[in-house]
Amino acid sequence: MECRSECGACCTATSISSPIPGMPQGKPAGVPCVQLLPDMRCAIFASPERPAVCAGFLPEASVCGQSRADALRIIGWLESETLAVAST
Ligand code: SF4
Ligand code: SF4
């Protein structure tokens, strides 16, 4: 699928452990990335400082769903499941 314009759910719902300019410790799940612009584009999309994990996150219907709200819910659930697995 094509990445939805003005979505940015993956830049909010995911946790990122690698440094992001402005967020040197990365970011927790559910917190919007400081590089996320008001129109939900990435301010450092073409920069080498953009975390590799961001470039590796590809839009997929099973994760992105039909809407931003869908994606926030699905990615949030995946994050909580990952944490649950990591803590067992
Ligand atoms: S959640 Fe999916 S559709 Fe939304 S911005 Fe991320 S990759 Fe694009
Ligand atoms: S660096 Fe860009 S692509 Fe990565 S989470 Fe932040 S806004 Fe999204």
Side-chain angles (χ1 to χ4, degrees), residues 8 10-12 16 18-24 26-27 31-51 54:
C10 52
C11 303
T12 296
I16 296 179
S18 42
I20 302 166
M23 295 180 121
K27 75 169 210 68
V31 173
C33 177
V34 294
Q35 299 298 336
L36 190 60
L37 296 167
D39 65 359
M40 301 299 168
R41 289 182 303 119
C42 174
I44 57 167
F45 189 82
S47 165
E49 291 190 285
R50 184 179 177 229
C54 299

Side-chain angles (χ1 to χ4, degrees), residues 4-80:
R4 219 168 13 240
S5 63
E6 299 186 25
C7 176
C10 52
C11 303
T12 296
T14 52
S15 59
I16 296 179
S17 57
S18 42
I20 302 166
M23 295 180 121
Q25 309 300 319
K27 75 169 210 68
V31 173
C33 177
V34 294
Q35 299 298 336
L36 190 60
L37 296 167
D39 65 359
M40 301 299 168
R41 289 182 303 119
C42 174
I44 57 167
F45 189 82
S47 165
E49 291 190 285
R50 184 179 177 229
V53 67
C54 299
F57 190 99
L58 300 176
E60 189 178 308
S62 63
V63 174
C64 303
Q66 299 294 315
S67 65
R68 171 178 161 78
D70 267 1
L72 287 171
R73 179 178 51 76
I74 295 167
I75 298 169
W77 179 81
L78 290 170
E79 282 283 348
S80 66

